Amino acid sequence: MAINLSAGATGNVPFALGFCFKQGHIPSGQSVSAGTAEIQATIKNRWPDGSAKFAVIAGVASSVAGRAETISLQASTSSPTGAALTTADLRATGIIASIECGSFGSATWSGADWDTPQSNWVSGPLMSSWIYRRPVGSDAHLVSWLEVRLFAGGQVEVLPWIENGYFDVAGPTNKSATYIFTLGGSQRFSSALDLPNHCRTPLVSGSALSHWLSTDPAVVAYCDTVYAQNTELVPTYFAAVPGSLPQIAALPSTYSPLQLGSLPAAMGSGGYDPSIGLLPEWDVLFLLAPRPSVWSAIQRNAYSAGRYGVHHRDETTNRVPRFSTYPTTVLGEGNGIESIGSSTTSTFTPNASGTSPATMSFSHHPSMGFMAYLVTGRWYHMETVQFMATANHFRSSTAPRENASGILQT
């Protein structure tokens, strides 16, 4: 078990990533330690025997700019000492963040606003992470979101995004505006966007994958991909991939909101497409030829999932809808989703209007967000996987779902 790490800065750098474990390698009651770095492991899933299955690993490592490091992991009976970083520690950094959405309004976080996150994602002495949300003005659908990571030492990383779509709120339509993200008094993003219904996008552009309150340490951290395949949480591949493969060179090296990236321009067309498979080709390339350019590309392609109208958030919980809560509900029209089914009770979400999202064909859709979540441990990518699964469920007719039982029969 090992972490591959490199950074653009020399010194002690913060890092965070997702990590898959083979069953039994981290027994129940034990944690994870590293010989050359101080780390914490927040276990998110366990195998049937109670051993760790997936964790968000974070810490601080000594790095020399431009030099790759290998951090070996092992099971441990001890965890890092010290109190977990809290929202009071976040507030003490003096962080102020805002998202402006043209005439729709804006959302700002400062001071005591940080004390009430929407969700707590990671809690530990080396890194804590929270999710924040704020509606934009009086709009019924438009919401600003932040995924915030605070590291020991005071470094703060922020992933901001704008989201346009609730599950069962009337009047879903596009929201065209100039969207601006400001962090620590500095404008970090500005772009005129026409955001279709039930779409979302991170407010990042160019080579950036997130924003840092101070200097970006340019850290790249990911698991040993051979070990990841041995966990069986991803398929095992036996191909040898040369570094000069044109498919690697073609991966997106930058991001702009709602871009196509490596996704198919005409989803659902007959024949082979690199996006079709247990994993799309770009995720497989990461498993076979892990390197910083592919690591960043799989995240950009996961961000591109925001261009599809699959983001139907439950307005009563502000989480992805549960199947059991809406047993006979089917998605309405105008989401850009093909082959929407029927409801035995004629219960549909409100039809959407305005600019249509990119066409989503569930017969051919790529696995979006899954590999990016396994690699980064980000809440954002976890929800992408959930949004895709629930949209697939709710676009299906209720009779094959057995209505209230929620069992989808193919």
Side-chain angles (χ1 to χ4, degrees):
M1 299 181 291
I3 295 171
N4 299 288
L5 183 142
S6 62
T10 296
N12 292 326
V13 297
F15 65 92
L17 70 154
F19 202 97
C20 307
F21 295 96
K22 287 188 69 173
Q23 184 168 349
H25 276 196
I26 308 296
S28 177
Q30 295 192 27
S31 188
V32 186
S33 65
T36 58
E38 190 178 8
I39 68 165
Q40 68 180 44
T42 304
I43 297 171
K44 292 294 184 182
N45 306 87
R46 295 185 181 274
W47 292 100
D49 66 355
S51 61
K53 186 176 187 179
F54 178 78
V56 178
I57 293 180
V60 178
S62 178
S63 174
V64 175
R67 187 176 76 188
E69 310 280 350
T70 299
I71 301 173
S72 297
L73 304 179
Q74 57 270 329
S76 174
T77 56
S78 61
S79 299
T81 58
L85 297 167
T86 67
T87 55
D89 297 314
L90 177 63
R91 191 171 68 245
T93 66
I95 182 175
I96 300 174
S98 68
I99 296 177
E100 299 176 45
C101 308
S103 61
F104 295 105
S106 62
T108 300
W109 292 265
S110 65
D113 296 332
W114 301 111
D115 292 340
T116 52
Q118 171 70 25
S119 299
N120 300 305
W121 180 231
V122 174
S123 180
L126 301 178
M127 190 272 278
S128 288
S129 180
W130 304 274
I131 311 303
Y132 294 89
R133 65 172 293 279
R134 286 225 159 142
V136 176
S138 59
D139 191 87
H141 288 274
L142 200 60
V143 179
S144 296
W145 290 82
L146 306 175
E147 180 171 353
V148 178
R149 289 172 168 175
L150 170 66
F151 293 88
Q155 301 97 328
V156 183
E157 182 187 17
V158 181
L159 176 65
W161 73 92
I162 193 74
E163 188 171 301
N164 177 28
Y166 278 119
F167 186 73
D168 203 24
V169 175
T173 190
N174 63 304
K175 304 294 162 57
S176 184
T178 296
Y179 294 90
I180 300 171
F181 176 64
T182 301
L183 181 63
S186 172
Q187 182 175 296
R188 307 297 183 90
F189 172 91
S190 178
S191 181
L193 303 174
D194 184 6
L195 188 66
N197 71 86
H198 299 101
C199 292
R200 66 174 183 169
T201 183
L203 301 182
V204 298
S205 61
S207 61
L209 296 170
S210 62
H211 302 283
W212 289 78
L213 181 60
S214 55
T215 303
D216 182 352
V219 173
V220 175
Y222 51 82
C223 65
D224 175 351
T225 57
V226 173
Y227 178 82
Q229 293 174 76
N230 290 337
T231 69
E232 300 185 357
L233 290 181
V234 294
T236 300
Y237 299 92
F238 298 98
V241 175
S244 58
L245 198 69
Q247 286 89 334
I248 293 178
L251 292 173
S253 58
T254 59
Y255 177 76
S256 59
L258 306 178
Q259 75 177 22
L260 180 65
S262 302
L263 299 173
M267 191 182 297
S269 298
Y272 170 76
D273 189 89
S275 64
I276 299 175
L278 291 175
L279 293 176
E281 186 177 83
W282 50 89
D283 289 349
V284 177
L285 287 172
F286 174 73
L287 291 172
L288 297 178
R291 61 196 67 189
S293 63
V294 186
W295 172 84
S296 57
I298 63 173
Q299 295 178 66
R300 294 186 181 105
N301 281 334
Y303 288 162
S304 290
R307 68 199 308 267
Y308 300 101
V310 298
H311 304 87
H312 298 79
R313 189 177 295 276
D314 190 330
E315 60 277 5
T316 66
T317 64
N318 284 308
R319 292 296 303 274
V320 178
R322 290 179 179 269
F323 300 163
S324 58
T325 305
Y326 304 95
T328 61
T329 300
V330 173
L331 298 181
E333 300 292 339
N335 302 297
I337 296 175
E338 291 187 339
S339 304
I340 288 178
S342 59
S343 168
T344 53
T345 59
S346 297
T347 306
F348 296 90
T349 62
N351 291 337
S353 62
T355 304
S356 179
T359 299
M360 164 61 69
S361 172
F362 276 99
S363 61
H364 283 192
H365 80 88
S367 173
M368 297 185 192
F370 178 69
M371 180 60 71
Y373 173 60
L374 293 187
V375 170
T376 67
R378 283 198 183 279
W379 168 285
Y380 182 92
H381 296 310
M382 176 197 70
E383 282 206 319
T384 295
V385 178
Q386 294 176 333
F387 277 128
M388 289 292 295
T390 53
N392 197 357
H393 177 83
F394 286 115
R395 65 97 192 175
S396 302
S397 297
T398 57
R401 283 157 42 186
E402 292 192 358
N403 300 316
S405 70
I407 300 173
L408 180 60
Q409 299 182 29
T410 58

